[in-house]
Each structure stands twice: as C-alpha cells, then as structure tokens.
Amino acid sequence: ILHWQPNQGSEMNSQVLEEISQCVETLNGVKEGSCKTSLTFYKPNLQDQSAVMDFPRDFMGISMPELPNKYFLIIRGQRIVLEADSSILVIMEKLQSYKPKAILNFEGELYKLGDFQIRVIKVVPHQTETLKGIMVEIDYLPISSVENSKQIMKEFIDIWKEVVSKKSLAGEFTHAETNYAEYGLGDNYTSQHTAVQYAAAALTQLIQSSQLRS
Amino acid sequence: MATSSLEYIPEQQKSSPTHISSGQLPLDLHPPQTVEDDISGTQLGPDFPYYIFSEGNFLWKGCVRQPWQLMFCYLLQHVEALEILLQGLCGVQRERLRIHEICLKSGPHLGTVASEVRLLCDLEQSEPSWSVRHVGGAMRGAGAEQVSVLVRSMVESKTSKNALRLFYALGYKFDHELLRVGFSFNFYRGAQITVTVASINKMLKLHATDEAVPVTLGIQMVEVIAPATSENYTEVATAMSSFCEYLAPLLHLSKPGVSTGVVPTAAAAAAALMSDGGGTTL
C-alpha cells in the first residue's frame, strides 16, 4: 500500500485523485470494478473513564468486500491480528465491552495491469463525502510469497512513482514496509496480511489528518 | 446451519454414584447476569436462528444469528452401552472429540456490565482450530413460562489462533477452563442432530491439556444438539424429544427439581447392549 503524502500546505482533493487515476490509465490499466473496505476504530466501554489508558487505543476491525463472511480484528500496538467469522460482530455487540468510535471507508477503483492489480483508494470517513486521504494498493497476482515478490514490487513502485511525478502534483507517494513476522504471519500472503496493512494505513491516515490540521 | 440442544440435569440420587444434582454440575451453567439479556417478548424474525439450552426440561434459546442449541445433558455411568445404542440409532460413524474450553471474564472497569466469553479450541484436528462463543441470558416472562424449558442465546465465531491473546489484550481475564473428551454422532432424524458424550476434565496447571483429570471420575455428560430457526423450533424440539426417548433405557429427561431417579433398568439395559453389541431391541 502506498500513501499519498501531500506537500505541506497543499490540499487533498478530488482533482489529485483524478490525476492519479489517469496515471493508472497511462500505464494501460483497465478498470475492473469498485470495492470498499471498512475499518472501524473501537474504544473501550468503561464505567470509569480514568481507566482508559489501561486499554488498547488502537483496536480496529476490518471488513473486506471480497470476504463478506469474515471480519478482522487488530490491536496494532501489540501486533495482534485475528481473522474471525463475521458473527464476531454479534459477539462484540453482546459483550458491550468495546464500541465503535469512528469508521473509515476505503473506497477503491480496481484496475488490472497485466499481472498487477491496482486499487486507487480514497479514504473517506463514514457517512461523509470528505476526502481525507488517497492510497494505492498494489497486488502482484502470480506470487504469494512476500519475500519473493519484493523485487518485482519495488520495480513496479519505482515505475509508478515516476509516472506520478510527471504530473507535477503537490505531493508524492510514500511506502512503509510492514513487518508481518511481528504479527505471527508467515511469508505466504493472506487476507490477514492485507488487514494488517489497512490498519497501518488507517493510523497513518489519522496522523496525516492531524498534521494537515495543524 | 442451526443447532439446537436440550440440556438436562437429573436430580441427585444420594444412593447412586452415577447422578449429581445440577448444583454440583462441573460446568459454568448459571443464571443470566443482566436484565438486558431478557429477550422475552422479542419479535423473532424468520432469519434468526436460535440457541436452545435446557437444564432439566428447560430449554434456553435466544434470537441470534447462530444456530440453536438444545443441550441434553446427563451424567451417566454406562458410556460404552450408550455408545452402542447410539451407533445403532444413528447409523453413522462416531467422531472423536477433544475440546479445550477457556472461559474469560471482563476485567474491572471494562463494560458497563461484566461480560463473559468462551474460547474453544478443537484439539482433535491435526491443526488446533479455535472459535469464540458467547452464551447469553435466559428468556424470562410469559413466553418462557409457557414452555417447559429455559431459553438462552448463544453466538459462535470461528477464529484464527490468536483469539486468547486478543481477548487478554482487550482486558479480559482468565476465569476457568475445562477439557471435554469423548465422542459425538451427527445424523438426521427429523432434525440434524448431534449427540455428544464426553467427560469433563480440569487442568492441574494452566492450559496443560495433556495433564487434565476428570472433574468427577466416571461421570460423562451427554449433549443432544439440533439445528433450528424461529420458524421451526417447535418441530425440532419435538424431533429431539422423540429421539431422546430412544435413549430412555439408559437415561431420561425430567425437570430440575423433579426427581426421576436412576433409570431402574439402566444397568440391565447396559448389560444387554454390551453383551450382544447392540443387537438387543430395547
């Protein structure tokens, strides 16, 4: 996942998004559809609010459109990811120990470029139209091994950054490596790996939003 | 798939070592903690399957997006005979069962009311598989009075293996754990029924499933479970009761507080089953 980092003082707006989508088309990307991943931030439901520091503040849940019967729970600080049936949401509702605090939607347009899939994603708080962030998710389909696909992913990302830079937009794409082993995840890429990346993306987004405001 | 189970605990017979009262039952079957668990009068839609548990002749059910559980529970001595009887009745192969159940309770401050969640690890598979289960409160009110059973909600979700770590990190604390070891039969007879016969074991050291010992030596618990929805639960209950009658030579159902005693002919029935391997018609 690559994050769009706007330059200091510049805006995040749909024009930038449009330009970025055009970049994909420049590379002969073929639009295949849309998708929406939702990420929920949870907060503990406490009798005594002063105890809030005793509970995780980065507890998130993710639902992915391609896996409607699954739900992913992540506590980022402790590097925990859990894949569950979507009935876990009913259990959480019954437990009443954690409640949703905020929801971020990752609304993506899916493009196919040869063996690659790119999602151009706009990050939008739930039930708003406000564009809070732009991301690009790149999948290299033939290889499931994280390690084995690193080289080819790097090459693609370099090409992508070059194409984007030609547009002279006020920002650039940044990319952070994820240490999947810390989450107990193996080399074979799974939806749990994706969930971990989205959780990281959401937190990056939060930081970015607060930086833009300041 | 919905499941329903009828759970029954016979009245203690002081003279017989094979019975214990529900008060001594080595399980965390307990009354609901919160008023909000009361779902009496709830409008239950057709999409909502139920869980039904019964204590004695009580059924516990609730409207959740999960199967019903009618749990029929009896502690008995004649396990081998029961296995032969079940083999004959069900016509399917038995499956081995080894489930580690860890009960967690919410720590102080967490939640406006205390909550409890159960983590189940299936140890019989080559790769242990985990699920998370929430058992809710009993149905109360006029509706509950009309059925000769208690009703309780239950929701289960399969998870990847990090469930225990996640719940500890969320502020849940270990309460108790047990290991169920036995076998089960899964078959169709008016409803898709699963009968489980298992010993309940406790671990002498935390999570040491290899060193588990029976809570009460020689005692097994029988659970009869069948799927149901809000539309058909009465038919399922009838199917299950009919099936349970076939178990009558060895054990039978009654309301808690109403003594059934030992099935007087259980020993003889067991002996007959054992001697000719199920050929006897009971």
Side-chain angles (χ1 to χ4, degrees):
Chain A
I1 287 184
L2 300 171
H3 263 280
W4 180 251
Q5 182 74 40
N7 292 341
Q8 199 66 25
S10 71
E11 265 184 29
M12 185 82 65
N13 59 37
S14 51
Q15 179 62 29
V16 175
L17 186 69
E18 184 58 39
E19 300 275 0
I20 289 167
S21 302
Q22 281 176 16
C23 290
V24 183
E25 281 152 19
T26 308
L27 291 168
N28 295 323
V30 176
K31 207 182 228 188
E32 284 208 332
S34 340
C35 53
K36 184 169 91 171
T37 296
S38 279
L39 184 143
T40 304
F41 289 94
Y42 289 99
K43 63 176 178 184
N45 182 19
L46 300 174
Q47 296 164 22
D48 173 11
Q49 286 303 319
S50 64
V52 72
M53 295 311 288
D54 297 338
F55 298 92
R57 302 180 69 190
D58 52 357
F59 174 39
M60 295 169 267
I62 297 176
S63 71
M64 296 185 198
E66 57 270 24
L67 295 169
N69 298 322
K70 294 283 182 187
Y71 198 70
F72 297 83
L73 296 175
I74 293 136
I75 301 177
R76 179 152 164 82
Q78 302 197 33
R79 302 293 192 260
I80 300 174
V81 59
L82 186 82
E83 180 177 338
D85 293 342
S86 46
S87 48
I88 197 81
L89 284 165
V90 182
I91 292 178
M92 286 182 64
E93 179 68 28
K94 288 197 163 284
L95 289 173
Q96 292 278 298
S97 49
Y98 283 81
K99 303 222 177 203
K101 183 169 72 171
I103 301 174
L104 271 184
N105 289 327
F106 296 83
E107 299 173 6
E109 294 292 333
L110 182 65
Y111 295 84
K112 195 132 190 318
L113 280 82
D115 287 333
F116 287 88
Q117 253 181 19
I118 295 193
R119 285 187 180 89
V120 178
I121 298 167
K122 58 180 183 180
V123 186
V124 177
H126 191 58
Q127 289 177 337
T128 70
E129 295 289 329
T130 321
L131 179 65
K132 283 284 187 193
I134 297 169
M135 284 169 20
V136 155
E137 185 184 340
I138 300 168
D139 274 307
Y140 181 60
L141 300 172
I143 299 179
S144 298
S145 154
V146 174
E147 202 51 45
N148 293 350
S149 59
K150 265 193 178 146
Q151 183 59 32
I152 196 161
M153 284 290 250
K154 185 179 178 313
E155 286 168 12
F156 186 92
I157 289 170
D158 288 341
I159 294 169
W160 170 255
K161 282 184 174 174
E162 202 182 301
V163 169
V164 170
S165 66
K166 290 198 174 112
K167 292 265 183 182
S168 302
L169 298 168
E172 60 169 355
F173 274 104
T174 60
H175 170 56
E177 288 285 337
T178 310
N179 186 341
Y180 297 112
E182 286 180 339
Y183 288 83
L185 297 176
D187 184 57
N188 193 43
Y189 195 84
T190 65
S191 4
Q192 287 185 46
H193 293 73
T194 306
V196 162
Q197 285 211 69
Y198 270 89
L203 288 169
T204 305
Q205 188 55 59
L206 269 187
I207 294 166
Q208 204 174 66
S209 298
S210 60
Q211 278 173 348
L212 283 173
R213 277 199 298 273
S214 60
Chain B
M1 183 178 98
T3 15
S4 39
S5 60
L6 190 74
E7 187 181 297
Y8 152 71
I9 300 152
E11 183 72 2
Q12 180 173 20
Q13 290 296 301
K14 291 193 177 98
S15 58
S16 165
T18 65
H19 294 78
I20 67 174
S21 71
S22 55
Q24 288 180 24
L25 192 69
L27 292 181
D28 58 334
L29 297 161
H30 51 260
Q33 302 292 317
T34 61
V35 170
E36 71 184 60
D37 290 332
D38 179 1
I39 58 163
S40 64
T42 308
Q43 288 302 312
L44 304 166
D47 294 334
F48 276 61
Y50 293 79
Y51 269 124
I52 296 186
F53 298 80
S54 81
E55 261 188 19
N57 216 10
F58 288 178
L59 277 172
W60 298 34
K61 82 178 175 202
C63 54
V64 289
R65 290 182 186 278
Q66 283 296 322
W68 273 17
Q69 278 219 343
L70 282 162
M71 276 162 61
F72 171 51
C73 155
Y74 187 92
L75 301 145
L76 84 167
Q77 207 173 36
H78 309 294
V79 179
E80 285 175 56
L82 179 63
E83 189 181 339
I84 294 169
L85 178 59
L86 286 168
Q87 183 73 64
L89 286 171
C90 307
V92 296
Q93 284 298 340
R94 73 166 201 178
E95 291 165 23
R96 287 158 58 98
L97 191 104
R98 195 177 169 83
I99 307 248
H100 181 192
E101 184 174 313
I102 305 171
C103 187
L104 304 179
K105 289 204 162 114
S106 55
H109 305 301
L110 186 61
T112 44
V113 292
S115 58
E116 187 179 296
V117 67
R118 297 178 200 192
L119 270 51
L120 293 100
C121 184
D122 185 348
L123 298 171
E124 195 57 40
Q125 313 298 321
S126 52
E127 189 68 31
S129 66
W130 287 86
S131 57
V132 172
R133 181 185 283 178
H134 176 267
V135 182
M139 187 167 111
R140 289 186 285 239
E145 302 293 328
Q146 281 160 23
V147 291
S148 58
V149 291
L150 266 171
V151 171
R152 206 172 181 184
S153 68
M154 190 165 111
V155 189
E156 189 159 329
S157 167
K158 288 200 187 39
T159 67
S160 53
K161 57 187 181 356
N162 257 336
L164 190 60
R165 260 191 85 204
L166 182 100
F167 278 95
Y168 279 153
L170 291 178
Y172 281 82
K173 310 287 181 203
F174 175 85
D175 187 70
H176 69 269
E177 61 183 340
L178 41 88
L179 183 72
R180 294 171 200 266
V181 182
F183 56 86
S184 67
F185 291 86
N186 191 306
F187 57 96
Y188 187 86
R189 199 187 192 96
Q192 190 66 37
I193 296 176
T194 303
V195 180
T196 303
V197 181
S199 65
I200 311 296
N201 302 275
K202 62 187 175 192
M203 275 132 278
L204 302 172
K205 283 191 302 207
L206 188 67
H207 304 331
T209 53
D210 291 336
E211 296 171 26
V213 296
V215 172
T216 312
L217 199 60
I219 297 295
Q220 302 266 329
M221 174 182 289
V222 177
E223 291 179 349
V224 179
I225 305 174
T229 67
S230 60
E231 305 285 292
N232 72 354
Y233 69 90
T234 45
E235 288 84 15
V236 170
T238 305
M240 286 187 48
S241 301
S242 307
F243 173 76
C244 291
E245 281 169 26
Y246 287 98
L247 305 181
L250 290 176
L251 49 89
H252 56 75
L253 205 60
S254 76
K255 272 187 181 176
V258 174
S259 166
T260 57
V262 183
V263 175
T265 52
L273 279 162
M274 299 295 292
S275 67
D276 69 359
T280 302
T281 308
L282 295 167

